[in-house]
Amino acid sequence: MKDTVKIFKALGDPSRIRIMKMLEEGKLCVCEITAVLDLAPSTVSKHLSLLRDAGLILDEKNGKWVDYFLNEKSDNEIVRDLLKMIKTTDNNDKTIKDDTERLKDSSRFIICDISTT
C-alpha cells in the first residue's frame, strides 16, 4: 500500500499533472519543462524527482541533458492504468492546451543556448 500512496501523492499537484501531460508528447529535459511551466529549475527538478520516485516517469542521460519520459512499461499495473487514464483526461483543459502550444516553441538548444553544430 505504501507504493500506491506514493503514486497518488505524486499526482496530487497540478504542476505534476501538467508535466505528465507534457511528457505524453515525448522525452523532455528539465529546461524544456521549466520553460513551459515558468517555474524555477529546482522546483521542476523536485516535481520530476517525486514522479520518478513514484515510478510514473523514468530518466536517461542524453549528452548534456537528462531526458524524462513516461514509464509506460512499468511493472506496476496501477502505474500503467493511471498513465492510460491521464492520457484521456484534461485534453480540453485550457492550461494543458496552452502548455502543449508553449512546448512546441520550446527547444533545449535555444533555451540552453547551445549550438547544434
Side-chain angles (χ1 to χ4, degrees):
M1 184 160 78
K2 187 177 182 180
D3 289 338
T4 303
V5 170
K6 187 184 283 190
I7 292 165
F8 281 99
K9 280 186 177 183
L11 293 172
D13 182 276
S15 293
R16 292 193 286 271
I17 296 292
R18 289 172 67 192
I19 291 170
M20 298 294 290
K21 295 300 286 182
M22 282 188 274
L23 292 175
E24 289 176 7
E25 302 297 319
K27 296 178 180 182
L28 298 171
C29 69
V30 171
C31 61
E32 291 165 318
I33 296 168
T34 298
V36 173
L37 295 179
D38 198 27
L39 295 172
S42 60
T43 302
V44 171
S45 292
K46 181 64 177 173
H47 285 309
L48 290 167
S49 177
L50 289 167
L51 292 168
R52 185 185 58 233
D53 290 347
L56 293 160
I57 64 171
L58 298 171
D59 61 36
E60 66 184 8
K61 185 81 170 135
N62 178 11
K64 299 179 182 211
W65 296 280
V66 175
D67 286 333
Y68 293 87
F69 55 98
L70 298 176
N71 187 7
E72 296 175 312
K73 296 180 181 178
S74 174
D75 293 335
N76 187 320
E77 185 177 2
I78 294 170
V79 168
R80 290 191 315 269
D81 289 345
L82 284 170
L83 290 177
K84 288 176 191 172
M85 185 183 76
I86 290 169
K87 281 187 178 185
T88 62
T89 59
D90 292 328
N91 294 326
N92 293 317
D93 180 83
K94 182 179 176 358
T95 301
I96 299 300
K97 285 182 174 183
D98 290 348
D99 288 350
T100 302
E101 285 304 310
R102 289 183 75 187
L103 191 57
K104 290 177 185 176
D105 296 329
S106 299
S107 166
R108 63 184 66 185
F109 299 105
I110 296 169
I111 296 166
C112 299
D113 195 28
I114 295 175
S115 173
T116 58
T117 57

